[in-house]
Amino acid sequence: MTEATRLSRRAFGGLAAAAAATFAIGRPGIVRAQAAITFAVPNPSALTWLPYWVALGEGYFGEEGLAPTLQAIDGSSAVLQAMSAGQAQIGAPGPGPVLGARARGVDVKFIYNLFPKSVFGLLVKKDSAVQSPADLKGTVVGVGTADGAEVSFTRAILTDLGMKDGVDYTFLPVGDGGTAAVAFLRDEVGSYAGAISDAAILGARGLELREITPEKYLGFFGNGIAMLESQMAATPDLAPKFGRALVRGMRFASDPANHDKALAHCATGNPQEGEDKKFAAALLAAAIERMTPTEAFADKGYGYQPPEHWQMIHDAAVASGALEKPLDDLSAVYSNEFVEGWNAS
C-alpha cells in the first residue's frame, strides 16, 4: 500500500492551490491576456480527470492558447461555489448538484459529459449479506461528502425502492479512499457509494468488494464539464478550446499504445497516485471504460449528453426530494452545442 491511496481531497487541493494563479474575486472571473484559467474538480485523483492531464502533458491546451491550472476541492457543491465566486472559470461538478444549483438561480450549464457511464457504484463487502439495494433498509450508507454527486445518485436508487433518506437509511460522510476503508473495517457503514477512484483505492487496501448497483442506474452519467452562462458569454472561445483539447486527450489516452505515456502524464498531476503502478493501471482502464460513450451514442462523439438521461436524473431528483419541484426548462441546464466541433478535428 503506497501513499497514493492515502492522499486526501483536501491535501491534494492544497497542492493544486499553491500552484494556481491568483484571480480576483468576481462573477464571472474573466480570462486574462495570458489565457490562464482555473479548472475546479471535486476529487484529487488525476486519473479521474484523465483527458485533462493527457491534454496538458501533450501540449493540446497550449496549442489552444490556454494555460489551465487544476484545483481539487471537496465535492461538487464546492466546485460550483468556486465557479460562482469567480475563483474558477470552468469546473467538473456532478449532474445532481448542477440541477440543485440551477433551481437556486445559479446560471450554471453542463457542456461536456465526461463520464457517459455512471462514475459511481454502490459497493458492499464481498461477504456482506446485502445482495441488492433493497437490503440497505435500516443501514448506514457511506459517501465521500455530504453534498457530493454520489449522494443524489444513491438517493435516486433508494427512492425508487420506496425508501426515504433519514427514515429508512442514513448517509454518513466518510471521505474518499483510505478513510472510507477505515469506516468499512470498523463497520461504521454497511455500504459505500463511491467513484471509480474510490473503488480502486478500497481494492488496493485489500477490501474485497461487490457492486450492487442496479443495471438501469449505470446509465446515470457522472461528472462533466460545466461553466456559468455569464462566463461563457464573457469568454466565448473558452468552451470550444477547452473541450477540443479534452477530446484530443481522450483519443490519445484510449489508444493502448499510449497507455504508459498517459499514466506518466497523470503521475505529473498526482505523483503519489502514480507510485503504485498496478493501482494506476487498473484505474486508467476503469476511467477509459467509463469515459467511452455507450454504443447507442458512440456516433455523437465525446462529451454528448443524451436528453433522455438528463430527464431520468431530473425526475429521480424530484422524486427523492433533492429538487423541491420540477425545473421549468430542463433543456436550459445543459448544452450539446459544442460537441460536434470538439469531435470534428
Side-chain angles (χ1 to χ4, degrees):
M1 171 69 186
T2 71
E3 288 298 321
T5 62
R6 292 194 288 272
L7 185 66
S8 71
R9 296 182 185 185
R10 192 173 302 280
F12 187 77
L15 292 174
T22 301
F23 290 89
I25 301 300
R27 189 167 183 266
I30 306 302
V31 177
R32 309 306 179 195
Q34 300 87 351
I37 60 170
T38 294
F39 175 42
V41 302
N43 184 300
S45 168
L47 282 155
T48 298
W49 316 111
L50 170 67
Y52 169 86
W53 288 109
V54 172
L56 190 68
E58 289 296 308
Y60 300 151
F61 284 120
E63 291 174 16
E64 294 288 351
L66 300 177
T69 296
L70 180 145
Q71 183 169 358
I73 48 185
D74 287 328
S76 291
S77 291
V79 167
L80 291 164
Q81 289 168 9
M83 293 166 63
S84 295
Q87 296 170 324
Q89 288 67 46
I90 198 159
V98 166
L99 286 171
R102 193 80 192 195
R104 296 190 301 272
V106 179
D107 66 328
V108 62
K109 189 177 286 283
F110 212 91
I111 60 173
Y112 185 115
N113 186 357
L114 183 59
F115 287 94
K117 300 165 190 169
S118 176
V119 68
F120 298 110
L122 264 177
L123 307 169
V124 297
K125 290 181 181 178
K126 184 178 180 181
D127 58 359
S128 171
V130 173
Q131 297 299 317
S132 73
D135 298 327
L136 295 179
K137 189 170 185 177
T139 69
V140 177
V141 180
V143 292
T145 62
D147 52 11
E150 70 271 27
V151 174
S152 54
F153 170 79
T154 305
R155 187 183 285 124
I157 295 174
L158 299 181
T159 297
D160 270 359
L161 293 170
M163 293 191 219
K164 187 174 181 180
D165 181 6
V167 177
D168 299 300
Y169 65 93
T170 56
F171 286 119
L172 178 66
V174 295
D176 57 329
T179 57
V182 172
F184 257 131
L185 293 171
R186 292 177 177 173
D187 292 322
E188 295 173 355
V189 299
S191 60
Y192 182 71
I196 56 172
S197 56
D198 299 317
I201 292 171
L202 290 169
R205 289 297 298 262
L207 282 173
E208 292 190 78
L209 301 173
R210 181 163 41 83
E211 186 167 0
I212 59 169
T213 310
E215 185 174 351
K216 68 178 263 189
Y217 286 96
L218 292 176
F220 269 60
F221 60 84
N223 293 57
I225 308 305
M227 293 180 66
L228 299 184
E229 289 185 293
S230 48
Q231 180 72 66
M232 294 169 68
T235 55
D237 62 340
L238 179 54
K241 289 180 175 182
F242 195 90
R244 190 159 50 234
L246 283 187
V247 169
R248 292 180 67 189
M250 193 63 220
R251 287 173 175 165
F252 181 94
S254 297
D255 184 342
N258 297 329
H259 283 185
D260 286 345
K261 199 166 185 182
L263 285 169
H265 289 319
C266 288
T268 298
N270 186 333
Q272 292 176 322
E273 184 178 64
E275 289 175 2
D276 188 330
K277 305 298 183 184
K278 184 177 180 181
F279 165 76
L283 186 50
L284 173 69
I288 291 173
E289 194 279 328
R290 298 279 184 156
M291 292 178 182
T292 301
T294 60
E295 185 176 344
F297 301 103
D299 63 328
K300 300 290 187 180
Y302 292 108
Y304 180 72
Q305 307 166 68
E308 57 268 42
H309 289 184
W310 264 111
Q311 190 67 54
M312 181 171 63
I313 293 171
H314 170 269
D315 293 349
V318 173
S320 69
L323 283 179
E324 291 185 3
K325 61 180 182 178
L327 296 181
D328 292 334
D329 183 10
L330 179 58
S331 65
V333 177
Y334 65 96
S335 174
N336 284 314
E337 65 179 296
F338 305 109
V339 174
E340 185 176 354
W342 290 332
N343 289 272
S345 58

